[in-house]
Amino acid sequence: MIYEKGQSSDKDIFPLLHPLVRDWFQSSFKSFSPPQRGAIPLIHERKHCLIAAPTGSGKTLSAFLAILNELVELSYRGQLEDRVYCVYISPLKALSNDIERNLNGPLKELNDLSEQELGIRVGVRTGDTPQSQRAKMTRKPPHILITTPESFAIVLSSPKFSQSLSGMEWLIIDEIHALAENKRGVHLSLSLERLQERTRFTRVGLSATISPLPEIAKYLVGRNLGQALGKGELDVWRDCTIVDARFDKKLDLQVMSPVRNFISSTGEQLTGSLYQTVGQLMVEHKTTIVFTNTRSGTERLVHELKERYPKFAHAIGAHHSSLSKERRFEVERRLKEGEMKCVVSSTSLELGIDIGSVDLVILYGSPKSVNRALQRIGRSGHKLYDTVKGRVVVTGRDDLVESSIMLKSAVEHRLDQIHIPSNCLDVLAQQIFGFLLDGPRHVDDLWEWTTRSYNYAFLKRSDFDKLLEYLAGEYTSLEDRHVYAKIYYDRDTGQIGKRGKMARVIYSTNVGTIPDESYITVKQGDQSIGHIEEGFLEKLRKQDVFVLGGDPFRFRYSRGMTVQVEGAGTKDPTVPSWYSEMLPLSFELSLDIQDFRLQLSELFESGTSAEDIQAFIGSELYLDERGVESFYNYFNEQHRFALIPHRNRILIEYYQDGDKSWVIFHTLFGRKVNDVLSRAIAWLIARREDRDVEISLTDHGFYVAYEGTVKVMDAFNLLQVRDLRETMEDALKDSEILRRRFRHCATRSFMILRSYKGQRKSVGKQQMRSIVLQHVIERMDEFFPILREAYREVLEDAMDIKNASRIIDEIKAGKIQIEGQVVKAPSPFSFHLIMQGRMDLIKIEDRQSFLQRMHEQLTQKT
C-alpha cells in the first residue's frame, strides 16, 4: 500500500489533458481540488487508487476526468470503438441515474466546444432498465456503463453483452464503504475477479468517510495472482495508491441541549423545546436537512414542524425508503432547485445523491457512529471550500453523552473501523455457479480465483472443498428435498463445470444477496392481532414481551410467516417496537465514551471542584452552555449514588423491586456486543437452572430480571471459562435469528430458488422450505457449509462476537475490573435501560414522569 504524500499542481496536470478537456475545465472551474490533484495523474497512468474525500470536493470528477480525457483523445483520433471502456458501480439505482445526468452535462458542454461530434455514450443498466433499452445497449454498447453490483453480475453472465467488456479499461466503485461492509460488496469483489480473468483494468474506489483506508484499498484491488498468503506477508496485494483528502474541509459542529435539566423538565417542556430548537435552526438557514434515526421519527418531526411553522409548511418534506420512488424523486428535485426549506430524512439521503446546496444539517439524536455523523453532516457545505455546518439536537442524557463524544472523535479524526465480511460461503456458492457459466475450470484455478478476492484471502481449503461437495450434489439426501447438483466435478481430472440447460436462466433470475423480506402475521390462537417486520422477529427470544396495537404480548413461537403470542397482562415489554429500526452504537465510539467516562471518574474521585469539572467538559467537548451543565449533572448524580462505569470497570447493580430481582450490567460496548453477552448468559442460566429469565439490552448495557433465585453471576463467570463461540452457537440453535438468516443463506446459495421457470416463490414458502431444510441438514451434517455460514453471519455480521470475545479476554486478564453494588434503586445510568421496554406503553410526556419518579425513588432511598 502507498499513501499519496504529495499532490500534483495544476501546471503538472494540464499537460496531461487534451486541449478540449483543458479548455472546458478552465472555463468551468478555478483550479483542481485536492482529491483531483492526487487522483487524475494516477488514473491517467492506469494505477489503482482509492480516493477518500468529503462530499462536494470534486471526488466524482477526480475519477472521471482522466477517463473522459482518454475517450476524447480516442474520438479525435477516430479510434473510439463500440465497446465499454469504463464501468461505474454504485450501491443505489438513484445514484446511478444521478451520475448519468452529471456526466451527460459535461459531455454536452465538451461537444458544444468541440469542432466535431465526440460520440461518447453513457448508459445506465439497473433492475429498472427496460428490456428494449438493454437490447439497444447490446447492439451498441455505451462507452461508460453505469450499473449496480447485481446488474453487473448479470451483465458478466450475458453471452452477448459481456463481449463488450473484454477490453474494459477502468472500473469505478462509488460509495465503496456502503458496499464493502455487507454481502453485496462480497459478491462484487468476486465479480471483479471474474472480470479480471478476461481483461486487465484499473480499479478506482470513491468514499467520503471511511477507515481503515489500507483495508478498504486491499478490498478494492484484491490479491496478486499466484501469491499465497502467510503470516506477516505485506506485499501479496495488488498495488494501490490512497488519495486521502478526508479532512480537508473546515467543520462547524456543536451539540445542542434543548433544556438545562432533562430530569426536572416536564414532557411537554422537553418536546416543545426539542421542536423549537430544530424549528429555530430551520428558520435561520436557507436550506436544512434533518436526519432522524427511524422512519417513524421522520414522519413525526415533519408533522410537528408543519404544524408549528405553517408559513413554511409547503417547503417542508419527508424523504425515506418507505415513500414511493416518485415522491422521493420529487423531494430531491425540489431540494436541488432550492424550493425546499427543510427535508427530514432517516438514512435515504446519506449517500451522494446530488441535492444541491444545503446550509445546515441537523442530527436529531445520535446516529451512533462517527462515520455516519460525518457522512450526514457532510451533506452541507456542498461546494469545495464551504464550511461543513452541523448541529446535533439531543433528546436525552445518554444521547447527550454519545453525541458529545461523537463530535469530539469526528474533529480528532477518530473514525469507526469498517467491518468487512469474510469467507461468506453462500455468496461464494452463487458466484462459483455464475463463474462456471463462462466454461469449465480446473479446481485449482477456481481456488485461486476465489482467494484473489480480499473477502476470501484467508479461506480454508477444507471449507472450499466442502462447498464444492454441496454444489456437486454429493449430499444425496438433499435430493429428497429437491436440492439438486448445480455443477459437475470430475475428481480424477479436477475439472468442474456447470450442470443443466437452465443454469444461465437460474443464475440471472436469482442472482444477488439482498434477501426478500415480508411482514409477519401475529396471532393469538386463531385471532389475528396485527403484523411485525421480519427484522423485528429476528430480535425476539422465547418469552420476550412486546407491544402491538397498544397491548403487551409474550412471544411463544413462529411457524413460517406467522407468530403465536399470548397476552402478557401487566408485564413490561422487553423489546421496544422500534428496536429493529435503531442503528447500533459502533464499538469504536463506545470505547471513546468509556475513555471519557474514565477521565471524569478520576476527576470526581479526586475531589475536583464542580467548576473545574464543568470547565474541563466545556473545553473538551463541542457543547452549548446548557449541554455542559446537563452533562455535568448526569455524571455528578451517578458519582453520588453509585460508581461511574468506564473503560476499565464494569459496574453490576443488584436491586430488588417487590418479588422481582434485577441484575444490571453496565457494559457500554454497543448493542452488537451486548447481544452476544446477554444471550450467552441467558442460555447458560437456562441450561444450568432449567428456567428462562427476562433479558433487555441497549447499547449501554443489559439487565437480567427474574423472580425467585437465579445464580446470574455464576453464569457470567462461566463465560470466562467456556469458549464464547461454542456457547453462542449452542444458544442460537433454536433462535429466530438463525432460522431467518439460514433462509437468507439458502436462497443466496441457490438451495432455495426464489424464481424458477417464471414463477416467483413467496417469502412464506421460502421460509417454510428453509425450516424443513435446516432440520434435515442439522441431522445430516452440522458442519454443512451453508448452515455454518448462517452461524457465521449471525455471530460476525449481525452481532459482534469478535469484540465480545475481546471484552471477555480483558476481564480474564484483569484489564477490566468487575465491581458489584447492591442498590436500593437503580442508578442514573440505568434509567433508560429499565425504561426502554415501557416506552411503547407510555407517551413521551409520561416517560418524563416515569424518569422523574425513578429519580425521586433514587434520592429518597439512597
Side-chain angles (χ1 to χ4, degrees), residues 1-2 47-49 217 221-222 224 235-241:
M1 293 299 114
I2 306 168
K47 291 183 178 178
H48 304 309
C49 60
V221 298
N224 267 325
D235 297 322
V236 298
W237 308 99
R238 296 184 181 105
D239 290 337
C240 183
T241 303

Side-chain angles (χ1 to χ4, degrees), residues 113-376:
L113 284 174
S114 175
E115 298 172 354
Q116 64 182 61
E117 178 66 32
L118 295 175
I120 299 171
R121 298 186 298 274
V122 178
V124 175
R125 177 158 177 163
T126 67
D128 294 337
T129 305
Q131 186 59 41
S132 59
Q133 192 67 26
R134 296 181 193 182
K136 185 179 176 182
M137 280 187 196
T138 302
R139 291 191 301 271
K140 199 160 190 177
H143 299 114
I144 299 175
L145 174 65
I146 300 170
T147 188
T148 59
E150 293 76 19
S151 292
F152 180 56
I154 293 173
V155 162
L156 281 175
S157 299
S158 170
K160 292 182 180 179
F161 191 82
S162 63
Q163 293 174 13
S164 64
L165 299 174
S166 58
M168 198 200 77
E169 297 180 40
W170 301 276
L171 184 135
I172 301 168
I173 305 176
D174 202 356
E175 305 287 359
I176 193 170
H177 65 281
L179 292 170
E181 64 185 357
N182 54 51
K183 287 190 173 181
R184 294 182 75 201
V186 178
H187 196 276
L188 176 60
S189 176
L190 287 169
S191 292
L192 298 190
E193 295 308 325
R194 184 176 171 188
L195 182 61
Q196 191 79 25
E197 292 284 306
R198 305 181 188 182
T199 183
R200 298 292 179 263
F201 57 94
T202 301
R203 307 183 189 206
V204 180
L206 305 178
S207 184
T209 310
I210 199 166
S211 181
L213 290 179
E215 292 305 305
I216 303 302
K218 292 176 189 175
Y219 163 78
L220 171 67
V221 298
R223 186 170 66 84
N224 267 325
L225 182 66
Q227 289 204 31
L229 282 175
K231 291 184 179 178
E233 289 193 49
L234 300 177
D235 297 322
V236 298
W237 308 99
R238 296 184 181 105
D239 290 337
C240 183
T241 303
I242 298 171
V243 179
D244 186 2
R246 289 173 296 175
F247 308 113
D248 283 349
K249 283 199 170 188
K250 294 180 180 178
L251 301 176
D252 175 6
L253 309 177
Q254 189 179 51
V255 174
M256 302 182 70
S257 177
V259 293
R260 288 190 178 276
N261 192 311
F262 280 99
I263 293 296
S264 61
S265 300
T266 65
E268 190 175 341
Q269 288 171 335
L270 177 57
T271 52
S273 296
L274 279 167
Y275 297 134
Q276 182 181 354
T277 302
V278 174
Q280 189 59 39
L281 287 169
M282 176 190 73
V283 170
E284 292 170 358
H285 294 82
K286 184 180 177 182
T287 308
T288 300
I289 293 180
V290 185
F291 283 101
T292 66
N293 290 330
T294 63
R295 294 187 295 272
S296 57
T298 294
E299 293 291 351
R300 187 163 54 246
L301 184 55
V302 167
H303 173 75
E304 289 292 339
L305 290 176
K306 285 185 173 183
E307 287 285 313
R308 292 167 184 265
Y309 299 91
K311 178 182 175 181
F312 302 114
H314 68 287
I316 298 172
H319 190 288
H320 56 74
S321 57
S322 293
L323 294 172
S324 68
K325 180 173 65 175
E326 292 75 20
R327 187 89 174 264
R328 293 197 307 272
F329 283 178
E330 177 63 12
V331 170
E332 291 165 19
R333 182 195 65 77
R334 293 183 63 199
L335 185 58
K336 188 174 181 179
E337 294 178 7
E339 298 175 10
M340 298 297 289
K341 182 72 173 173
C342 178
V343 174
V344 186
S345 176
S346 49
T347 60
S348 54
L349 284 179
E350 280 182 1
L351 298 182
I353 299 169
D354 188 3
I355 53 174
S357 180
V358 173
D359 301 298
L360 175 71
V361 168
I362 300 172
L363 307 184
Y364 190 72
S366 163
K368 305 287 185 177
S369 156
V370 177
N371 295 5
R372 189 176 289 111
L374 286 171
Q375 183 84 18
R376 291 179 172 185

Side-chain angles (χ1 to χ4, degrees), residues 645-661:
H646 51 65
R647 182 66 182 91
N648 302 330
R649 176 166 66 199
I650 291 177
L651 172 64
I652 301 177
E653 294 181 35
Y654 309 86
Y655 90 98
Q656 197 76 23
D657 183 13
D659 294 332
K660 194 172 186 178
S661 300

Side-chain angles (χ1 to χ4, degrees), residues 524 543-547 551-555 565-574 841:
Q524 186 172 10
Q543 301 301 314
D544 267 338
V545 176
F546 64 96
V547 172
D551 295 318
F553 294 95
R554 182 181 287 106
F555 172 62
V565 299
E566 60 188 12
T570 59
K571 290 282 186 182
D572 291 327
T574 56
L841 294 173

